[in-house]
Amino acid sequence: MTKPSTNGPLNNSNEESVDVAQAVDQLHQQLTALREQLAGVIVGQHEVAEQLLIGMLCRGHCILQGMPGLAKTMLVATLASLTDLTFRRVQFTPDLMPGDITGSEILEEDHTTGKRIFRFVEGPLFGNVILADEINRTPPKTQSALLEAMQERQLTVCGQTYALPDPFFVLATQNPVETEGTYPLPEAQLDRFLLKIHVAYPSRDEEMEIARRQTTDYKFETVKVLDEDQIHRMQSLVRSVVVADHVYNAALDLVRGTRPEEGTMSPELQNLVQWGAGPRATISLLLAAKARALLNRRCHATTEDLIKVALPVLRHRVILTFNAEAAGVDADSVLNRIIEQTPSLSKKNHTAKNS
């Protein structure tokens, strides 16, 4: 009698690892092509573009904060144009009502029967990529209409629930210096954003290139790089990225280290932090680290990935005290010090950059 082969599971494992490796290589090629297309329109902002791609891979929402004129809106619109996803832009204003973005029911008469019926007319949220421009300019009543859409990916209007398209991303922008006529986003809504991305001023060379492009007849014709099926496969691949136990522990150490009640903070930092990040931050941190690993053509996430995504994941989830605000200390500086004091993140070798 022939003995059954004992190499079956090992062969299956090897085939699966080869398939994942091929998928990672293919994803890297597609994202490289997408970055090249973006560079033809947007000068610089490489870290911002990378973080937007991380948000797309993780099926997460992002909020971009920066001064006017830094191409936040153009970057989002260009990214959407490189895919076959439906793009919707909503300009948030103080008079915007929830029905203006969710849609509403209208009374319509059937001319054949003479009966009047209600018909639901979809609002701009029924798209794949939603640009919520200057989101902090609209009142909380309208801001709250986004909560169900962002978390549950559905909308309830007049007692009827409607599923939103898949994929679905909310990419919001806000100005960090204007306070007149604005409504700060509540913490519950901020926590729904996977990343808070800081859009910085360009370098001198980048600003020179921007000036040249905008004052000449420079044109760049973009082509679509990704379709909906490819994006779904990329998002599924994120879950296949390997995370070792020490990386899981490092993520937990970092997030729990933002909470003063844990007792791991130095007395100086406890005086600066009022509330730390919740469990959703741990999930977001690990998913973002996995996506960054894929962007760098790796099938495993490292503590370096955690450090690189720590600031955009955590900066909007940590609430500082009045003492910190009075001293001019921002969340990024506090988080950098927490990272330095987290032994599992190799504090001597890594420091998060202000991204």
Side-chain angles (χ1 to χ4, degrees):
M1 180 181 294
T2 305
K3 294 182 179 180
S5 173
T6 59
N7 295 328
L10 293 177
N11 291 337
N12 290 338
S13 177
N14 290 336
E15 290 176 3
E16 183 178 349
S17 62
V18 170
D19 291 342
V20 172
Q22 290 176 347
V24 171
D25 289 340
Q26 184 179 5
L27 178 147
H28 187 266
Q29 293 174 1
Q30 292 169 334
L31 292 181
T32 299
L34 189 146
R35 283 172 163 172
E36 291 174 353
Q37 291 291 313
L38 273 178
V41 180
I42 305 296
V43 179
Q45 305 294 2
H46 302 299
E47 288 188 0
V48 176
E50 178 180 273
Q51 290 169 24
L52 282 177
L53 293 177
I54 289 174
M56 181 182 72
L57 291 176
C58 296
R59 299 181 74 244
H61 313 291
C62 301
I63 182 167
L64 293 85
Q65 180 170 291
M67 297 296 291
L70 296 182
K72 299 185 295 296
T73 301
M74 181 183 292
L75 177 59
V76 174
T78 303
L79 180 62
S81 71
L82 299 177
T83 69
D84 64 353
L85 302 180
T86 304
F87 175 66
R88 298 281 187 268
R89 176 179 177 178
V90 183
Q91 190 67 43
F92 280 66
T93 56
D95 60 347
L96 194 71
M97 298 299 290
D100 296 331
I101 60 175
T102 63
S104 58
E105 289 188 337
I106 62 172
L107 187 61
E108 195 174 67
E109 184 176 350
D110 189 340
H111 295 290
T112 58
T113 63
K115 292 183 178 180
R116 294 182 178 181
I117 58 174
F118 283 99
R119 182 173 65 89
F120 179 71
V121 178
E122 296 180 350
L125 284 186
F126 286 86
N128 297 118
V129 182
I130 311 301
L131 173 58
D133 215 1
E134 295 186 290
I135 189 174
N136 57 334
R137 285 195 173 278
T138 201
K141 183 177 182 179
T142 305
Q143 290 179 8
S144 64
L146 282 173
L147 284 177
E148 183 183 10
M150 294 172 64
Q151 185 64 29
E152 307 297 334
R153 290 172 174 15
Q154 66 181 28
L155 286 173
T156 303
V157 181
C158 298
Q160 183 69 33
T161 300
Y162 302 91
L164 291 172
D166 184 25
F168 175 77
F169 309 104
V170 174
L171 303 177
T173 68
Q174 68 176 14
N175 189 327
V177 296
E178 290 185 352
T179 57
E180 192 115 355
T182 59
Y183 304 84
L185 299 183
E187 284 71 22
Q189 185 172 359
L190 282 174
D191 199 33
R192 262 68 174 186
F193 286 100
L194 176 78
L195 304 176
K196 182 177 182 181
I197 303 172
H198 277 179
V199 184
Y201 286 113
S203 66
R204 182 180 179 86
D205 291 341
E206 290 171 347
E207 194 163 353
M208 176 67 75
E209 179 62 20
I210 293 171
R212 291 184 187 277
R213 291 187 181 185
Q214 295 299 319
T215 55
T216 60
D217 57 354
Y218 173 86
K219 291 182 180 179
F220 184 86
E221 297 295 332
T222 59
V223 296
K224 294 187 184 297
V225 177
L226 297 175
D227 58 31
E228 188 174 308
D229 291 337
Q230 290 172 327
I231 293 174
H232 282 145
R233 286 197 294 271
M234 290 179 177
Q235 292 170 342
S236 299
L237 191 59
V238 172
R239 304 279 175 170
S240 302
V241 175
V242 177
V243 178
D245 287 343
H246 75 278
V247 179
Y248 274 112
N249 285 320
L252 284 170
D253 291 342
L254 176 57
V255 175
R256 296 179 71 86
T258 64
R259 305 169 190 165
E261 59 270 20
E262 288 292 320
T264 59
M265 279 186 183
S266 63
E268 182 183 2
L269 285 177
Q270 286 184 357
N271 191 43
L272 300 176
V273 180
Q274 183 175 4
W275 297 102
R280 191 181 279 121
T282 308
I283 299 170
S284 300
L285 189 64
L286 288 166
L287 284 176
K290 285 186 171 193
R292 186 181 184 274
L294 287 179
L295 290 177
N296 287 273
R297 211 172 185 175
R298 284 184 279 107
C299 301
H300 66 281
T302 65
T303 54
E304 175 68 16
D305 294 319
L306 292 179
I307 293 171
K308 291 296 184 181
V309 300
L311 295 186
V313 168
L314 296 174
R315 61 166 56 111
H316 56 297
R317 293 182 163 100
V318 174
I319 301 176
L320 304 182
T321 62
F322 175 78
N323 294 333
E325 296 178 2
V329 178
D330 61 5
D332 284 12
S333 60
V334 171
L335 288 170
N336 271 320
R337 289 156 72 177
I338 293 175
I339 292 170
E340 291 173 357
Q341 296 176 13
T342 305
S344 54
L345 290 176
S346 303
K347 60 182 180 180
K348 294 182 180 180
N349 299 325
H350 304 293
T351 300
K353 294 181 180 180
N354 191 353
S355 51

